[in-house]
């Protein structure tokens, strides 16, 4: 951006920005999804009411209940694009606070708000975000939804946001420091998120679970707990939408939704060890501690040692009822990224809810240096309402034979079919394109690959003594593996050819550069005097 003021049109909003105010066009998908999620939340809040929402979750609150719509706070607004879009595109909103600590950003926001004619709905503020949310908390001001989209890590804002949010309110949080929570710097991850991240094929889902555990941990300090509505890993960031409720009774269940992660240093298989267990007797929950560790000193598959990570959130990532409501809202949507949102949410509905983390086919095959085993080689050309309807269609029948009629041949030997034929549950994950979620034991996963290697042998030079490949392949399969094609291996989102895994949206895409604006608000005369004193100290080295 070289001009003094650049005009950006996104959704129904038209805004002005410049080099000094942060704006990332790649996150349009993030903003589009936030608009739809907030619309569903606001509609439910209006139709059901806060009292019924709280009653559903067995909690009570004395917070103010808004009859005219929800109040939204965008704590780090920058250009104010999100707030403007919320004001124009989300119904049932009473008031939006758009805040930024940069005076230049607030000036830009005021211009954008006036340009879009929503001065009555969006109010700008020029405060430090943490200070502002604590102020709202002290004033007992009802804030029903808070959007936190900082540059990098959001954890320093969590305490004040959790205190500020109304009971049953919605927190929308973005984390763009994926290198930290995806395992590149575990020591930094522990400092920022309170968890040790591990590099693995499932690092993107682990990043989601680390962030959720961090939010749940902050909530627990104030007698609150979270209910995840939607957790998404996309492009270079993760985005989580959680409801926050107050209940000491429900807080006790948090430990049973959190686990440590044991990861083998050889085959990289992971084993979860919950921090707490619970069982229900009549209407009461009983909590107790697990015994452990759940693994021996070396891996039973490859004889390598383990490393320890976590804790991570192992409860549900999504509320499927809420995701269904968002999908319903997406029908006939005119959003630019609507196809991607619809495809990703459809895939999320197919995910196994109670199976944390996933495998990837390339990671499994690379450990034993074998030819890649396919998931499903399939390219649709029409829309189907079920995988079964595709299987019995002329295209589905022909693709199993020698004449694919416009399809690539559907290979009968697939990893998904092998798992389904053995009676296990299987799904993909929205986090990665070649991922597999399953409740099959790890030993059966390796049995599938041992049987696959019999058909496509591994080079002898790969079978070095005490290597991971040699340790795994020297064992005989304990169970028979059936590679016969299973029609349930074709998911509905696959059969309909939905846009699920989009390639990089732009060249050199990423989180962008930090805002260059340095003009910040000064709250009090004392702070002003301290700032002047610090400048003089540095200048004259006093």
């Amino acid at each position: 951006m070289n001009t003094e003021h650049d005009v950006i049109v996104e959704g129904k909003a038209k805004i002005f920005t410049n080099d000094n105010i942060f704006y990332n066009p790649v996150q349009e998908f993030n903003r589009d999804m936030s608009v739809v999620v907030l619309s569903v939340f606001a509609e439910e809040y209006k139709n059901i009411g806060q009292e019924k929402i709280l009653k559903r979750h067995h909690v009570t609150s004395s917070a103010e209940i808004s009859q005219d719509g929800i109040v939204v706070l965008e704590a780090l607004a920058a250009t104010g694009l999100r707030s403007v879009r919320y004001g124009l595109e989300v119904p049932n909103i009473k008031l939006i606070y758009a805040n930024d600590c940069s005076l230049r950003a607030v000036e830009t926001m005021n211009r954008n708000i006036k340009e879009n004619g929503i001065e009555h709905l969006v109010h700008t503020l020029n405060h430090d975000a943490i200070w502002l949310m604590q102020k709202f908390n002290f004033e007992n001001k009802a804030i029903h939804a808070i959007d936190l989209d900082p540059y990098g890590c959001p954890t320093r804002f969590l305490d004040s946001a959790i205190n500020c949010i109304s009971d049953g309110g919605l927190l929308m949080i973005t984390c763009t420091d994926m290198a930290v929570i995806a395992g590149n710097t575990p020591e930094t991850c522990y400092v920022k998120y309170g968890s040790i991240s591990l590099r693995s094929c499932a690092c993107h889902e682990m990043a989601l679970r680390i962030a959720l555990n961090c939010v749940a941990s902050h909530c627990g300090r104030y007698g609150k707990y979270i209910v995840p509505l939607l957790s998404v890993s996309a492009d270079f960031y993760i985005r989580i939408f959680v409801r926050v409720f107050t209940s000491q009774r429900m807080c006790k269940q948090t430990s049973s939704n959190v686990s440590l992660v044991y990861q083998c240093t050889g085959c990289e298989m992971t084993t979860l060890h919950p921090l707490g267990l619970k069982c229900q007797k009549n209407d009461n929950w009983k909590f107790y501690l697990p015994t452990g560790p759940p693994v021996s000193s070396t891996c039973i598959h490859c004889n390598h040692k383990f490393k320890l990570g976590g804790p991570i959130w192992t409860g549900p990532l999504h509320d499927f009822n809420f995701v269904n409501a968002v999908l319903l809202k997406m029908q006939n949507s005119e959003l630019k990224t609507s196809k991607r949102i619809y495809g990703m949410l459809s895939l999320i509905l197919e995910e196994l809810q109670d199976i944390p983390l996933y495998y990837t086919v390339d990671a499994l095959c690379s450990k034993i240096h074998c030819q890649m085993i396919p998931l499903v080689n399939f390219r649709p050309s029409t829309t189907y309402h079920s995988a079964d309807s595709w299987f019995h269609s002329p295209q589905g029948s022909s693709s199993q034979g020698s004449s694919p009629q416009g399809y690539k041949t559907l290979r009968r030997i697939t990893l998904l079919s092998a798992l389904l034929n053995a009676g296990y549950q299987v799904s993909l994950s929205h986090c990665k394109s070649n991922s597999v979620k399953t409740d099959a034991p790890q030993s059966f996963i390796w049995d599938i690959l041992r049987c696959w290697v019999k058909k496509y042998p591994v080079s002898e030079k790969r079978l070095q003594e005490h290597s991971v490949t040699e340790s795994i392949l020297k064992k005989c399969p304990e169970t028979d593996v059936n590679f016969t094609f299973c029609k349930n291996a074709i998911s509905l989102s696959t059969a309909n050819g939905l846009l699920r895994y989009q390639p990089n949206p732009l060249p050199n895409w990423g989180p962008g550069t930090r805002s260059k604006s340095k003009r910040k608000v000064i709250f009090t005369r004392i702070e002003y005097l301290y700032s002047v004193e610090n400048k003089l100290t540095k200048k004259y080295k006093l």
Side-chain angles (χ1 to χ4, degrees):
M1 296 181 182
N2 297 320
T3 59
E4 184 179 358
H5 291 287
D6 296 281
V7 179
I8 297 167
V9 178
E10 184 178 296
K12 295 181 180 180
K14 177 183 177 182
I15 69 165
F16 299 91
T17 187
N18 55 56
D19 282 336
N20 293 322
I21 310 300
F22 184 81
Y23 167 73
N24 192 344
V26 177
Q27 290 216 37
E28 183 175 358
F29 171 76
N30 183 336
R31 292 184 286 270
D32 284 353
M33 179 172 288
S34 299
V35 166
V36 183
V37 169
L38 188 60
S39 298
V40 173
F41 171 78
E43 184 176 353
E44 181 177 338
Y45 221 90
K46 178 183 177 182
N47 295 339
I48 299 178
Q50 187 184 35
E51 289 180 335
K52 291 184 178 179
I53 292 174
L54 298 178
K55 187 176 180 180
R56 180 192 300 171
H57 291 271
H58 310 290
V59 296
T60 58
S61 174
S62 59
E64 176 188 346
I65 300 175
S66 174
Q67 302 296 332
D68 303 324
I70 65 171
V71 179
V72 181
L73 168 64
E74 186 184 5
L76 308 158
T79 61
L81 176 56
R82 286 177 187 270
S83 294
V84 171
R85 290 196 60 186
Y86 292 160
L88 293 173
E89 301 175 43
V90 179
N92 305 311
I93 287 184
K94 178 183 178 181
L95 181 63
I96 300 172
Y97 292 108
N99 175 72
D100 201 282
C101 64
S102 167
L103 184 58
R104 187 177 288 114
V106 173
E107 292 169 353
T108 303
M109 278 193 283
N110 286 328
R111 178 180 179 182
N112 292 332
I113 292 167
K114 185 176 180 180
E115 175 70 23
N116 289 273
I118 51 175
E119 300 96 325
H120 65 288
L121 193 59
V122 183
H123 294 181
T124 59
L125 298 168
N126 183 208
H127 297 298
D128 175 80
I130 297 173
W131 181 89
L132 178 65
M133 289 186 284
Q134 291 289 11
K135 177 177 179 289
F136 282 168
N137 176 44
F138 294 146
E139 294 174 352
N140 199 28
K141 186 169 293 187
I143 304 294
H144 305 102
I146 297 178
D147 195 320
L148 293 175
D149 188 8
Y151 185 90
C153 177
T155 54
R156 64 187 181 275
F157 303 104
L158 291 181
D159 282 311
S160 53
I162 290 165
N163 281 320
C164 176
I165 196 78
S166 297
D167 232 2
L170 176 67
L171 281 182
M172 302 176 283
I173 303 171
T174 303
C175 307
T176 60
D177 53 339
M178 288 299 292
V180 174
I181 49 179
N184 285 357
T185 54
E187 65 285 350
T188 305
C189 185
Y190 181 77
V191 171
K192 293 185 175 182
Y193 292 90
S195 295
I196 296 293
S197 57
L198 298 173
R199 294 191 68 176
S200 71
C201 59
C203 62
H204 292 92
E205 183 178 329
M206 188 172 289
L208 283 172
R209 295 186 179 277
I210 286 175
L212 286 171
N213 172 67
C214 182
V215 178
S217 175
H218 281 75
C219 284
R221 301 169 190 173
Y222 308 102
K224 299 184 178 184
Y225 70 98
I226 64 170
V227 176
L229 299 181
L230 179 62
S231 308
V232 175
S233 173
D235 300 331
F236 56 86
Y237 60 89
I238 59 175
R239 178 76 161 168
I240 58 176
F241 302 87
V242 299
R243 266 191 177 138
V244 178
F245 295 94
T246 302
S247 173
Q248 291 287 354
R249 176 171 169 265
M250 297 297 293
C251 281
K252 295 179 180 179
Q253 300 188 27
T254 300
S255 63
S256 58
N257 287 325
V258 176
S259 299
L260 297 174
V261 184
Y262 288 85
Q263 184 185 63
C264 174
T265 56
C267 63
E268 294 189 358
M269 286 290 176
T270 56
T271 304
L272 300 176
H273 184 54
L275 296 186
L277 299 173
K278 64 179 181 180
C279 64
Q280 189 173 13
K281 291 185 178 180
N282 300 323
D283 293 333
N284 298 319
W285 287 97
K286 183 179 180 181
F287 304 95
Y288 55 97
L289 296 177
T291 57
V295 295
S296 59
S297 58
T298 58
C299 177
I300 60 174
H301 305 296
C302 66
N303 299 320
H304 282 65
K305 293 185 177 182
F306 289 90
K307 51 187 176 183
L308 183 62
I312 66 171
W313 176 266
T314 47
L317 291 177
H318 324 283
D319 182 332
F320 282 173
N321 291 330
F322 187 85
V323 176
N324 268 313
V326 176
L327 269 178
L328 188 63
K329 195 77 173 178
M330 286 300 302
Q331 292 183 356
N332 303 320
S333 172
E334 297 180 357
L335 295 174
K336 186 176 179 180
T337 63
S338 59
K339 288 185 178 180
R340 186 185 181 191
I341 295 175
Y342 192 88
M344 180 172 283
L345 294 182
S346 299
L347 181 57
I348 283 173
L349 286 177
E350 297 170 354
E351 288 184 3
L352 295 177
Q353 179 81 308
D354 55 346
I355 307 296
L357 307 182
Y358 54 81
Y359 306 99
T360 59
V361 181
D362 54 342
L364 289 171
C365 293
S366 67
K367 290 300 175 184
I368 58 174
H369 303 285
C370 71
Q371 179 177 323
M372 187 77 71
I373 179 173
L375 283 173
V376 172
N377 195 357
F378 174 74
R379 296 294 183 271
S381 62
T382 188
T383 301
Y384 302 95
H385 298 292
S386 68
D388 187 71
S389 64
W390 171 83
F391 185 78
H392 292 293
S393 67
Q395 291 87 352
S397 301
S398 65
S399 65
Q400 300 172 64
S402 58
S403 177
Q405 295 184 6
Y407 290 87
K408 292 184 178 179
T409 303
L410 180 61
R411 302 179 185 177
R412 293 175 180 271
I413 303 177
T414 68
L415 178 60
L416 298 182
S417 294
L419 290 165
L420 289 167
N421 290 333
Y424 297 110
Q425 298 182 79
V426 175
S427 78
L428 305 180
S429 169
H430 79 277
C431 297
K432 201 168 180 64
S433 58
N434 60 346
S435 56
V436 178
K437 277 180 172 286
T438 180
D439 59 349
Q442 297 171 0
S443 57
F444 185 72
I445 299 294
W446 290 124
D447 279 350
I448 292 176
L449 290 173
R450 292 184 187 107
C451 295
W452 175 257
V453 166
K454 289 182 179 180
K455 298 177 178 291
Y456 302 94
V458 175
S459 172
E460 289 292 334
K461 66 180 182 180
R462 298 293 188 181
L463 301 175
Q464 299 177 6
E465 190 176 1
H466 304 306
S467 67
V468 174
T469 304
E470 189 264 345
S471 299
I472 292 174
L473 294 184
K474 72 178 180 181
K475 300 177 182 178
C476 296
E478 298 177 356
T479 54
D480 294 330
V481 178
N482 181 8
F483 286 110
T484 304
F485 172 72
C486 178
K487 62 183 179 182
N488 291 330
I490 307 295
S491 66
L492 186 57
S493 62
T494 303
N496 287 331
L498 300 180
L499 178 60
R500 302 172 300 171
Y501 306 105
Q502 184 173 340
N504 297 347
L506 290 173
N508 305 314
W509 64 286
T513 56
R514 192 182 295 270
S515 173
K516 299 176 183 178
S517 179
K518 299 295 183 181
R519 295 172 62 188
K520 296 186 178 182
V521 65
I522 301 297
F523 296 108
T524 66
R525 181 174 177 80
I526 294 177
E527 289 183 359
Y528 172 74
L529 293 175
Y530 273 124
S531 66
V532 172
E533 181 181 351
N534 289 335
K535 290 179 180 179
L536 293 174
T537 301
K538 292 179 181 179
K539 183 176 180 179
Y540 297 105
K541 299 181 180 180
L542 299 177

